[in-house]
């Protein structure tokens, strides 16, 4: 995800010399916040606070850290109820 966003920012920065539209400037801002969240805070994108416009930009990139996570546990129902697994505590 970090490499993907850095590539997008790099492409948009190259377009600055030709002039950017308002939505492209907003996209650069959102990408900056994504990079801050991923690199400095070491947090997944799905845990960030995003506006509706931000979410529209995020959906276009289809980042892995923005997708929901499913955890599968291979154990019996009785063990699950007793929480007999180190990940269930």
């Amino acid at each position: 995800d970090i490499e993907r966003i850095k590539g997008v920012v790099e492409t948009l920065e190259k377009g600055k010399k030709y002039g950017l539209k308002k939505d492209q400037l907003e996209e650069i801002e959102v990408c900056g916040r994504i990079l801050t969240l991923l690199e400095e805070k070491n947090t997944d994108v799905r845990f960030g606070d995003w506006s509706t416009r931000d979410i529209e930009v995020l959906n276009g990139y289809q980042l892995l850290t923005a997708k929901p996570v499913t955890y599968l546990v291979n154990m019996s129902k009785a063990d699950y109820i007793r929480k007999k697994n180190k990940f269930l505590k």
Side-chain angles (χ1 to χ4, degrees), residues 19-69:
L20 295 176
K21 298 177 185 174
K22 182 182 176 186
D23 61 332
Q24 290 173 320
L25 292 173
E26 290 175 358
E27 192 171 343
I28 289 175
E29 179 187 333
V30 171
C31 288
R33 289 189 289 162
I34 293 170
L35 283 174
T36 301
L37 197 69
L38 290 173
E39 291 180 328
E40 295 174 14
K41 296 183 180 178
N42 201 22
T43 306
D44 289 348
V45 173
R46 68 179 159 274
F47 298 125
D49 293 325
W50 307 105
S51 69
T52 306
R53 174 69 182 127
D54 296 345
I55 292 171
E56 289 176 13
V57 172
L58 284 169
N59 287 341
Y61 299 134
Q62 298 183 358
L63 302 173
L64 289 176
T65 58
K67 300 192 183 297
V69 176

